């Protein structure tokens, strides 16, 4: 009786356990995270075009996904913290659904089903949780529907008095789960295996069990086939605009198939559980690594005590066998859609979003493996607790990566607003690469329009941003003047030209700088990427409007701290206006506060400022300082001092000292 009460109490406490685990794994840094990757164009659409715009926006990609975006964006404003909170709710629900499903399939294995669901909840192979706006709508809500479909199928088999009604609900949830996205198209055979496990309790003969399982699966199978037919038609009808399916068009060797299966099982079934330790040990002294390790230790301690209160007596080889087999099959089935699209399965990248369809299989596999190998129940408890703790630590580690990316975005947008307070409409921004991990050039076009066109109403998008190397030969035909460039935000687009462009750069450890034939020319920055250098002649600083009283900014992204880069970008803007007095004031204020250039090229503007305000000695001293830090700055120094020479000649000033400096730096006439 005592054990029954304890188990009921444990079952009753499971939702609280999952809620707390979700908070610890995903919510500790939540206020410091924001929007990433495809979130930006989607939230821009929601803000400026309205929720209904998602219906035509997805018509040529995933037509049944548009209604999901429409409903959620009608209810939740485009504010980062709301979507991050929503993501927590969805992840917690997904974990609870999986626990309920496994509990119905294996009711005698309470500890194992609880552990499998907890491992699903913190599955460390999937790092994209914080791209909340995109992935909650695009994958997790359909996944919830699919999980509910599995659950009602198991419920129908456990409660035969309601077989028809539960089956009907399961079929409806299957349709809602599989139609919006192709991510889960491979998972349906898992249902047959789950059915097999349940009916094996009452039907021992293999042949009878096989036909009984097929009888219960046939309706799901027909819907699955219908969806496959629809996808095949849709992919080949000519209007589909997403991933290309590669498998039908090329030969795949047996060795490639075997390697692909082994790679998926290794990564999703084993390596993901230890990758956190591998990543943490690479920077073990970093504060984030120390905190992650501390979180692992605390989580391990908690779950050791918690799992001791759950029944561990029902250890059977049959359960371990089923978990291993179904887990392996689930991993392989989950890999099929991304494999068919020719997309790699790489961890700690945007491609690990494909792990979402392997999470059920991966959680089953590792529990089955432990159950198969480990005999003693107490040792299993420690292993299971450690696996859960490692998943929590890994997700905290991931959260910190997204926190840092959000800060880097804040720095970029702030520096952009400081350097370019406003732009003429129809301006194209060009750069080679920005020092962020989770955004592409197309991601930036939306927030830049939010910054510089806050009153936008449906029309041609006024601003666009592209990477020169990535888009060259595609949407950027060439790095010559007069080329037309289009950047799409689903149903609307920017239509600009390389004749109206601003070229800029933002080094990984430096400040944003506008490049141009006048100030930041191809000679000064000749060591940069050739794709960036070749674009510099296209840059026109006259497109930057300086007679505005306020800088552009995002409403929910606070302005970065006024450290060195604030003074540098403001001084660059002052130099563009030839306001040398203002530039000098900025330099003096920055140095008085103890700020220093992180990149010697940032001293060029202040070398010129000192020289133009008459302090040649200070300019020479800064030049030598820059030269000591980086010999490669010599050409930039020459260009700077040549401009000083020309300007002073125009003012009939004595240039003997300038001539000496030019000779000292071996500057060609």
């Amino acid at each position: 009786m005592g054990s029954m009460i304890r188990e009921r109490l444990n079952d009753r406490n499971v939702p609280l356990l999952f809620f707390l685990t979700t908070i610890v794994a995903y919510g500790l840094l939540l206020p410091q995270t924001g929007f990433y990757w495809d979130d930006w164009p989607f939230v821009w659409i929601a803000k400026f075009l309205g929720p209904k715009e998602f219906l035509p926006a997805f018509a040529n990609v995933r037509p049944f996904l548009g209604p999901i975006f429409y409903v959620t964006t009608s209810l939740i404003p485009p504010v980062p913290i709301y979507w991050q909170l929503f993501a927590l709710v969805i992840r917690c629900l997904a974990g609870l659904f999986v626990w309920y499903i496994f509990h119905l399939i294996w009711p005698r294995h309470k500890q194992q089903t609880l552990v499998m669901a907890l491992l699903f909840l913190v599955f460390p192979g999937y790092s994209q949780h914080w791209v909340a706006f995109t992935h909650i709508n695009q994958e997790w809500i359909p996944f919830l529907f699919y999980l509910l479909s599995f659950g009602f199928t198991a419920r129908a088999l456990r409660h035969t008095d309601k077989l028809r009604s539960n089956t009907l609900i399961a079929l409806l949830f299957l349709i809602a789960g599989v139609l919006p996205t192709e991510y889960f198209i491979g998972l349906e055979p898992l249902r047959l295996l789950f059915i097999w496990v349940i009916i094996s309790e009452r039907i021992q003969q293999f042949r009878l069990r096989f036909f009984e399982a097929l009888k219960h699966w046939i309706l799901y199978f027909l819907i699955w086939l219908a969806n496959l037919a629809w996808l095949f038609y849709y992919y080949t009808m000519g209007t589909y605009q997403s991933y290309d399916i590669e498998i039908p068009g090329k030969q795949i060797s047996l060795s490639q198939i075997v390697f692909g299966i082994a790679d998926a099982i290794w990564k999703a079934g084993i390596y993901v559980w230890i990758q956190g330790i591998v990543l943490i040990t690479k920077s073990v002294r970093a504060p984030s690594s120390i905190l992650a390790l501390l979180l692992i230790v605390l989580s391990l301690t908690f779950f050791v005590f918690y799992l001791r209160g759950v029944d561990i007596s029902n250890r059977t080889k049959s359960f371990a066998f089923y978990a291993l087999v179904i887990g392996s099959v689930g991993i392989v089935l989950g890999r099929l859609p991304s494999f068919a699209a020719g997309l790699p399965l790489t961890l700690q990248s945007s491609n690990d979003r494909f792990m979402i369809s392997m999470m059920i299989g991966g959680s089953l596999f590792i529990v089955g493996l432990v159950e198969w190998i480990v005999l003693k129940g107490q040792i299993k408890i420690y292993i299971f607790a450690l696996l859960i703790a490692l998943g929590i630590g890994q997700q905290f580690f991931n959260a910190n990566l997204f926190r840092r990316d959000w800060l880097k975005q804040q720095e970029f947008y702030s520096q952009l607003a400081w350097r370019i307070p406003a732009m003429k409409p129809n301006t194209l921004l060009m750069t080679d690469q920005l020092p962020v991990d989770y955004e592409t050039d197309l991601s930036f076009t939306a927030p830049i329009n939010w910054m510089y066109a806050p009153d936008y109403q449906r029309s041609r998008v006024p601003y666009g941003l592209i990477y020169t190397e990535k888009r060259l030969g595609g949407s950027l035909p060439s790095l010559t003047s007069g080329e037309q460039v289009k950047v799409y935000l689903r149903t609307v687009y920017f239509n600009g030209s390389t004749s109206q462009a601003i070229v800029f750069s933002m080094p990984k450890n430096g400040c944003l700088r506008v490049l141009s034939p006048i100030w930041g020319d191809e000679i000064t920055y000749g060591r940069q990427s050739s794709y960036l250098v070749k674009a510099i002649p296209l840059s026109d600083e006259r497109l930057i409007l300086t007679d505005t009283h306020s800088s552009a900014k995002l409403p929910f992204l606070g302005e970065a701290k006024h450290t060195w880069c604030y003074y540098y970008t403001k001084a660059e803007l002052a130099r563009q206006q030839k306001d040398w007095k203002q530039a000098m004031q900025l330099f003096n204020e920055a140095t008085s506060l103890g700020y220093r250039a992180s990149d010697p090229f940032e001293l060029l503007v202040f070398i010129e400022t000192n020289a133009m305000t008459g302090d040649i000695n200070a300019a020479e001293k800064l030049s030598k300082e820059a030269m000591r830090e980086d010999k490669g700055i010599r050409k930039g120094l020459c260009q700077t001092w040549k401009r000083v020479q020309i300007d002073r000649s125009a003012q009939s000033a004595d240039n003997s000292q300038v001539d000496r400096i030019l000779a000292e730096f071996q500057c060609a006439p």
Side-chain angles (χ1 to χ4, degrees):
M1 176 68 69
S3 64
M4 289 178 62
I5 293 173
R6 184 180 64 185
E7 288 177 13
R8 287 177 182 174
L9 285 173
N10 282 328
D11 286 354
R12 203 173 297 155
N13 291 334
V14 165
L16 177 61
L17 173 67
F18 275 68
F19 172 75
L20 293 175
T21 304
T22 304
I23 295 296
V24 173
Y26 302 104
L28 296 181
L29 299 177
L30 181 145
Q32 300 173 60
T33 55
F35 288 140
Y36 310 91
W37 195 43
D38 282 352
D39 286 353
W40 281 116
F42 290 149
V43 297
W44 185 86
I45 289 172
K47 169 70 175 178
F48 292 97
L49 301 179
K52 289 184 179 179
E53 193 68 20
F54 287 106
L55 301 178
F58 283 99
N60 293 331
V61 182
R62 298 180 178 104
F64 299 104
L65 198 57
I68 293 176
F69 275 83
Y70 171 72
V71 172
T72 59
T73 55
S74 297
L75 299 173
I76 305 173
V79 178
I81 195 167
Y82 295 160
W83 283 93
Q84 295 295 342
L85 288 170
F86 185 46
L88 287 185
V89 174
I90 295 297
R91 290 302 292 271
C92 186
L93 287 175
L96 285 169
F97 290 170
V98 168
W99 171 71
Y100 181 68
I101 294 164
F102 287 157
H103 188 70
L104 286 172
I105 297 170
W106 289 287
R108 300 176 187 173
H109 299 275
K110 286 186 175 294
Q111 185 205 48
Q112 293 89 341
T113 55
L114 178 63
V115 169
M116 286 188 294
L118 285 167
L119 292 175
F120 172 90
L121 178 63
V122 300
F123 188 77
Y126 180 86
S127 70
Q128 301 298 301
H129 168 86
W130 293 269
V131 191
F133 195 107
T134 298
H135 291 311
I136 291 302
N137 287 300
Q138 192 164 279
E139 292 108 38
W140 278 99
I141 289 177
F143 197 20
L144 281 186
F145 294 149
Y146 215 125
L147 292 174
L148 285 169
S149 179
F150 281 153
F152 276 96
T153 297
R155 185 178 173 85
L157 295 171
R158 292 294 181 191
H159 304 280
T160 54
D161 57 323
K162 297 181 179 179
L163 177 67
R164 290 186 177 180
S165 59
N166 283 322
T167 300
L168 176 60
I169 296 172
L171 291 168
L172 292 174
F173 274 124
L174 170 60
I175 294 170
V178 79
L179 279 181
T181 175
E182 66 277 7
Y183 270 71
F184 312 113
I185 191 63
L187 291 184
E188 186 53 35
L190 273 181
R191 191 191 309 268
L192 177 60
L193 296 176
F194 291 148
I195 293 171
W196 177 277
V197 171
I198 294 173
I199 65 174
S200 65
E201 295 177 10
R202 55 185 173 85
I203 301 176
Q204 301 301 316
Q205 189 176 349
F206 181 87
R207 182 173 175 276
L208 292 177
R209 190 190 305 175
F210 177 75
F211 284 108
E212 182 72 8
L214 281 182
K215 182 182 77 173
H216 286 288
W217 188 54
I218 188 67
L219 291 177
Y220 304 103
F221 176 69
L222 291 175
I223 291 176
W224 185 46
L225 282 183
N227 187 58
L228 285 172
W230 152 253
L231 287 175
F232 178 79
Y233 165 75
Y234 194 63
Y235 286 146
T236 56
M237 66 186 292
T239 59
Y240 179 75
Q241 298 173 3
S242 191
Y243 302 122
D244 295 326
I245 298 299
E246 296 187 355
I247 286 180
K250 71 175 189 179
Q251 295 293 323
I252 299 178
S253 67
L254 179 61
S255 62
Q256 287 177 303
I257 294 174
V258 171
F259 174 79
I261 292 173
D263 180 64
I265 292 176
W266 160 249
K267 287 179 178 175
I270 298 175
Y271 182 71
V272 294
W273 304 105
I274 59 175
Q275 71 164 336
I277 296 298
V278 175
L279 293 169
I280 289 170
T281 53
K282 289 181 179 179
S283 56
V284 70
R285 294 184 180 180
S288 58
S289 296
I290 294 171
L291 287 173
L293 286 171
L294 179 62
L295 200 58
I296 289 172
V297 172
L298 292 175
S299 300
L300 171 63
T301 304
F302 171 81
F303 279 104
V304 165
F305 282 101
Y306 187 90
L307 293 177
R308 281 179 176 177
V310 185
D311 181 29
I312 61 170
S313 60
N314 290 316
R315 180 193 179 276
T316 62
K317 282 286 185 180
S318 62
F319 169 81
F321 174 78
Y322 276 130
L324 272 172
V325 171
I326 297 175
S328 301
V329 172
I331 291 171
V332 174
L333 292 174
R335 175 69 173 112
L336 283 178
S338 54
F339 183 75
L343 298 168
L345 183 62
T346 52
L347 300 178
Q348 292 303 115
S349 73
S350 61
N351 283 334
D352 73 11
R353 68 189 185 276
F354 306 129
M355 280 274 183
I356 188 173
S357 54
M358 292 177 261
M359 289 171 62
I360 293 176
S363 305
L364 276 167
F365 179 87
I366 193 65
V367 172
L369 187 64
V370 173
E371 285 287 322
W372 187 270
I373 296 173
V374 181
L375 298 177
K376 293 185 178 181
Q378 292 301 315
I379 296 177
K380 283 193 302 181
I381 286 175
Y382 282 102
I383 294 175
F384 287 151
L386 177 61
L387 290 171
I388 297 168
L390 288 172
I392 291 172
Q394 173 68 55
Q395 294 299 359
F396 177 81
F397 183 89
N398 293 334
N400 189 56
L401 296 179
F402 281 93
R403 178 193 65 83
R404 292 199 319 228
D405 187 271
W406 186 238
L407 282 176
K408 200 65 183 178
Q409 287 191 65
Q410 182 185 52
E411 291 174 12
F412 165 67
Y413 294 122
S414 295
Q415 291 180 39
L416 187 67
W418 295 332
R419 179 61 184 89
I420 307 176
M423 289 183 285
K424 289 184 179 180
N426 215 41
T427 294
L428 172 66
L429 292 171
M430 302 172 68
T431 188
D432 183 50
Q433 184 70 45
L434 290 172
V436 291
D437 296 320
Y438 300 107
E439 291 76 41
T440 68
D441 52 342
L442 302 184
S443 305
F444 286 109
T445 290
I448 284 172
N449 278 279
W450 200 324
M451 291 172 64
Y452 291 98
D455 300 320
Y456 172 85
Q457 294 181 348
R458 191 182 189 94
S459 60
R460 192 164 68 177
V461 177
Y463 306 104
L465 186 149
I466 58 170
Y467 287 163
T468 50
E469 179 179 4
K470 189 171 185 178
R471 303 302 167 187
L472 189 61
S475 54
L476 177 63
S478 71
L479 292 173
T480 57
S481 182
E483 295 285 10
Q484 294 298 304
V485 177
K486 284 189 177 182
V487 181
Y488 285 87
L489 288 172
R490 295 289 176 169
T491 52
V492 293
Y493 59 90
F494 165 79
N495 187 10
S497 168
T498 54
S499 295
Q500 189 173 333
I502 297 172
V503 179
F504 71 95
S505 172
M506 188 174 184
K508 186 175 182 180
N509 296 310
C511 307
L512 183 145
R513 62 202 61 165
V514 171
L515 308 179
S516 72
I518 300 174
W519 308 108
D521 61 11
E522 55 267 48
I523 297 175
T524 300
Y525 289 98
R527 293 192 305 170
Q528 300 293 320
S529 162
S530 61
Y531 298 96
L532 180 66
V533 173
K534 291 177 181 177
I536 291 176
L538 300 172
S539 189
D540 185 357
E541 286 184 314
R542 293 172 299 177
L543 299 171
I544 299 172
L545 304 179
T546 58
D547 56 352
T548 178
H549 298 291
S550 61
S551 295
K553 60 182 179 180
L554 286 170
F556 43 76
L557 236 172
E559 188 172 352
K561 293 180 180 179
H562 289 189
T563 55
W564 170 261
C565 285
Y566 169 80
Y567 295 99
Y568 169 76
T569 51
K570 286 289 190 179
E572 241 200 19
L573 181 63
R575 178 180 65 173
Q576 176 188 328
Q577 300 169 277
K578 294 191 175 182
D579 187 347
W580 302 111
K581 182 179 179 181
Q582 173 67 14
M584 197 67 226
Q585 288 176 350
L586 289 163
F587 177 68
N588 290 333
E589 186 175 348
T591 53
S592 67
L593 293 171
Y595 298 131
R596 287 178 53 82
S598 52
D599 180 343
F601 279 82
E602 291 161 8
L603 293 175
L604 294 176
V605 63
F606 297 115
I607 291 169
E608 190 165 2
T609 296
N610 274 277
M612 291 300 193
T613 53
D615 196 341
I616 301 295
N617 291 330
E620 182 180 9
K621 182 180 178 181
L622 276 180
S623 298
K624 291 179 177 179
E625 179 184 328
M627 192 71 171
R628 282 194 301 270
E629 290 188 34
D630 187 350
K631 302 292 186 189
I633 201 173
R634 189 184 64 82
K635 291 183 178 179
L637 289 171
C638 289
Q639 294 298 101
T640 300
W641 282 104
K642 285 178 181 178
R643 286 197 299 272
V644 172
Q645 183 186 50
I646 293 170
D647 190 87
R648 287 173 64 84
S649 296
Q651 299 175 21
S652 301
D654 181 10
N655 260 343
S656 58
Q657 194 173 358
V658 175
D659 294 339
R660 177 184 58 77
I661 293 170
L662 284 167
E664 186 175 338
F665 287 123
Q666 300 177 351
C667 301

